[in-house]
Amino acid sequence: MNSVVKIFKIGGGIIDHEAELQEFLRLFSGISGPKILVHGGGKGASEMLRQLGIAPRMVNGRRITDAATLDLVTMFYAGKTNKQIVATLQKLGINALGLTGADGNVIQAVKRPVREIDYGFVGDLSEASVNTHMLHQFLALGLTPVLCPINHDGQGQLLNTNADTIAASVAKALCKQYEVELHFCFEKRGVLTDISDETSVIPKINLADYALLKESGVIADGMLPKLENAFDALQFGVEKVIIEHALYIDDTLHTTLCLT
Amino acid sequence: MNSVVKIFKIGGGIIDHEAELQEFLRLFSGISGPKILVHGGGKGASEMLRQLGIAPRMVNGRRITDAATLDLVTMFYAGKTNKQIVATLQKLGINALGLTGADGNVIQAVKRPVREIDYGFVGDLSEASVNTHMLHQFLALGLTPVLCPINHDGQGQLLNTNADTIAASVAKALCKQYEVELHFCFEKRGVLTDISDETSVIPKINLADYALLKESGVIADGMLPKLENAFDALQFGVEKVIIEHALYIDDTLHTTLCLT
């Protein structure tokens, strides 16, 4: 049997709140076995862009990453956020290793082709983007990789990449060698039947349930791409996907996604 | 016989000039065998501090690193500079791994004790600060560590550290296991007898020569701490220290420091 690797993804909702981030990291440090943390951005980069007089450019709610923005988000995600997380994990006894995709060439992205919209320096991924050999070597050394949402194209260009996509791509790439559990951590206890009722968590959703929940409109908006990513990963061979609250990752109340 | 590791240190004089940095990295990528790059800061961080309205605080020509400054230099050195170097080296076929001291716990610093001056979040090092085991593992994986001047104290605090000191401490720590060559790269071809004459390079300086050159005032100012660091490293067992121009690291015109 393959050994288990647990991949956790956290986003801006946690990163933007210092005390909550610290609490998540404390819980994460208690997770046994090989693990990987993938973190997203947060509002800090946008605030600093404004302070520097660089107006965030959004099209259809998505950020356009021009050269100045890429520079700034690289500083923020790979410099500030990533290194604060790594230093905190070290304090908690976890030998964390902060990485962009360029470090150890762990993830190579492809600049998103320009169609109707030019997203700028944004990278798209496939499971072939992930250097499973190097991640395996890092895990074998007892290290906990901490991936930030900046990758490279192998030609010297850094590229901004969605953290959910990184987490799913890493999960899909590693599942040939490991039994992979993918944890999407956010500000709810899981997929809710009633968004205003925190206790209305659906404990388990399989592919058939998912089709029904989509049809009935219970799953909508921001949850849809997350679950699309998740079921795609499951169909690719990822063992289990868990949707859970970042501050209750040690709790049994969450949503488990599986194929059947 | 131990295998050779070459450690190169570059500072702001190169980092601040994009074309020169690219040329140095091209030459560095051609250096054979296991190698490590240590880079300093540069003027970019100070400029951004000014843009953000954070006035650089200097005492006796040395920067005081308060919390806001630490945040910014971490972003700049560990985010922007480090990742641009790593991405460029990847393009040049070098499997670079960008690191702060917190990553893989490779370097633990001690916050400088407050005496007459409180330097703030500045870290001091000893050779015991360096995790030789982890650096050895990275080198054994064929990786080229790229160290930026940010370390941690093991208690969750990041600390700004002089890059010359990092290079010398890493050299001293690794020389138990490797034959270490330490290269200080800057904007001159070596130690000059006449600062205005680029060709007046002293090819070799031993400890006795150094004492005489200091006494006669040929070596003064900024070169003194660099050479103090260098001879300290040699006395500790580092095989060779070379002072050279960052754009001519493939050339034989440079200053070699040795004990006898």
Side-chain angles (χ1 to χ4, degrees):
Chain A
M1 206 182 99
N2 289 333
S3 58
V4 177
V5 167
K6 294 170 188 162
I7 301 171
F8 287 78
K9 187 262 164 177
I10 53 168
I14 295 302
I15 292 165
D16 288 335
H17 300 95
E18 180 60 21
E20 295 187 7
L21 177 59
Q22 295 293 323
E23 173 61 6
F24 166 79
L25 293 174
R26 192 187 66 77
L27 294 171
F28 177 76
S29 73
I31 300 289
S32 60
K35 52 187 183 284
I36 294 174
L37 179 59
V38 180
H39 67 82
K43 287 183 192 150
S46 295
E47 278 165 28
M48 188 168 265
L49 283 167
R50 268 192 298 274
Q51 277 184 281
L52 292 168
I54 305 167
R57 283 181 53 214
M58 311 289 281
V59 174
N60 298 340
R62 305 188 74 161
R63 184 200 293 281
I64 305 298
T65 308
D66 59 15
T69 303
L70 178 72
D71 241 35
L72 208 281
V73 297
T74 300
M75 290 174 63
F76 218 92
Y77 303 160
K80 186 182 160 86
T81 309
N82 191 265
K83 297 317 167 195
Q84 283 182 344
I85 288 174
V86 168
T88 301
L89 286 174
Q90 290 289 350
K91 168 183 152 189
L92 293 164
I94 298 298
N95 201 354
L97 177 69
L99 299 167
T100 65
D103 297 296
N105 191 27
V106 290
I107 303 179
Q108 268 198 27
V110 174
K111 187 171 180 294
R112 185 171 300 166
V114 178
R115 296 212 177 85
E116 297 91 66
I117 299 170
D118 181 358
Y119 286 100
F121 296 105
V122 166
D124 289 326
L125 299 187
S126 67
E127 60 280 2
S129 298
V130 180
N131 184 340
T132 51
H133 169 73
M134 193 54 76
L135 285 176
H136 172 70
Q137 296 294 338
F138 289 149
L139 292 170
L141 288 173
L143 293 164
T144 294
V146 178
L147 291 160
C148 75
I150 302 291
N151 296 310
H152 75 139
D153 69 353
Q155 296 305 311
Q157 181 63 56
L158 295 166
L159 295 166
N160 195 5
T161 306
N162 179 278
D164 278 352
T165 308
I166 293 176
S169 298
V170 169
K172 284 153 71 177
L174 289 181
C175 72
K176 286 157 208 149
Q177 209 167 343
Y178 295 92
E179 195 174 305
V180 175
E181 266 184 30
L182 174 58
H183 295 247
F184 285 113
C185 306
F186 71 139
E187 305 84 60
K188 302 279 173 196
R189 300 295 297 260
V191 181
L192 307 178
T193 51
D194 175 1
I195 191 85
S196 61
D197 179 5
E198 275 286 349
T199 64
S200 67
V201 174
I202 310 174
K204 197 179 159 198
I205 303 176
N206 67 23
L207 202 50
D209 300 331
Y210 176 51
L212 291 174
L213 288 164
K214 243 195 323 191
E215 214 179 273
S216 65
V218 172
I219 297 173
D221 303 328
M223 191 50 84
L224 275 177
K226 218 178 263 296
L227 293 197
E228 285 296 336
N229 249 331
F231 278 104
D232 178 48
L234 288 168
Q235 282 173 309
F236 211 87
V238 171
E239 189 73 14
K240 208 195 279 185
V241 180
I242 293 169
I243 314 271
E244 66 196 339
H245 198 300
L247 302 182
Y248 298 95
I249 59 174
D250 55 344
D251 195 289
T252 54
L253 183 62
H254 53 237
T255 301
T256 302
L257 308 178
C258 46
L259 286 181
T260 55
Chain B
M1 205 182 98
N2 290 332
S3 59
V4 177
V5 167
K6 295 171 188 161
I7 301 170
F8 287 79
K9 186 261 164 179
I10 53 168
I14 296 302
I15 292 165
D16 287 335
H17 301 95
E18 180 60 21
E20 295 187 7
L21 178 59
Q22 295 293 323
E23 173 60 7
F24 165 79
L25 293 173
R26 192 187 67 77
L27 294 171
F28 177 76
S29 73
I31 301 288
S32 60
K35 52 188 183 281
I36 294 174
L37 178 59
V38 180
H39 67 81
K43 288 182 192 149
S46 295
E47 277 166 30
M48 188 168 266
L49 282 167
R50 268 192 298 275
Q51 276 184 282
L52 292 168
I54 305 167
R57 283 180 53 214
M58 311 290 279
V59 174
N60 299 340
R62 305 187 74 162
R63 185 200 293 280
I64 306 296
T65 308
D66 60 14
T69 303
L70 178 73
D71 240 37
L72 208 281
V73 296
T74 301
M75 290 175 63
F76 218 91
Y77 304 160
K80 185 182 161 88
T81 309
N82 191 266
K83 297 319 166 195
Q84 282 180 345
I85 289 174
V86 168
T88 301
L89 286 174
Q90 290 290 350
K91 167 182 152 189
L92 294 164
I94 298 297
N95 201 352
L97 177 69
L99 299 167
T100 65
D103 298 295
N105 191 27
V106 289
I107 304 179
Q108 267 197 26
V110 174
K111 187 170 180 293
R112 185 171 300 166
V114 178
R115 295 211 178 85
E116 297 91 65
I117 300 169
D118 181 357
Y119 286 99
F121 296 106
V122 166
D124 289 325
L125 298 187
S126 67
E127 59 280 2
S129 297
V130 180
N131 185 340
T132 51
H133 168 75
M134 195 53 78
L135 285 175
H136 172 70
Q137 297 295 337
F138 289 149
L139 292 170
L141 288 174
L143 293 164
T144 294
V146 178
L147 289 161
C148 75
I150 302 291
N151 295 310
H152 77 139
D153 69 354
Q155 297 304 311
Q157 182 62 57
L158 295 166
L159 295 166
N160 195 5
T161 306
N162 178 278
D164 279 351
T165 308
I166 294 176
S169 299
V170 170
K172 284 153 72 177
L174 289 182
C175 73
K176 287 158 208 148
Q177 209 168 344
Y178 296 92
E179 195 175 305
V180 176
E181 266 185 31
L182 174 56
H183 295 246
F184 286 113
C185 306
F186 72 140
E187 304 86 58
K188 302 280 172 192
R189 300 295 296 261
V191 181
L192 307 178
T193 53
D194 175 1
I195 191 87
S196 62
D197 178 6
E198 275 285 350
T199 65
S200 68
V201 174
I202 310 173
K204 196 179 158 197
I205 303 175
N206 67 24
L207 202 49
D209 301 332
Y210 176 50
L212 291 172
L213 288 164
K214 242 195 325 189
E215 213 179 273
S216 66
V218 172
I219 297 172
D221 303 328
M223 190 51 84
L224 274 177
K226 218 179 262 295
L227 293 197
E228 285 296 337
N229 249 332
F231 279 104
D232 177 49
L234 288 168
Q235 283 173 309
F236 212 88
V238 171
E239 188 74 13
K240 208 195 280 185
V241 180
I242 293 170
I243 314 272
E244 67 195 339
H245 198 300
L247 301 182
Y248 298 95
I249 60 174
D250 55 343
D251 194 288
T252 54
L253 183 63
H254 54 237
T255 300
T256 303
L257 308 178
C258 46
L259 287 181
T260 55

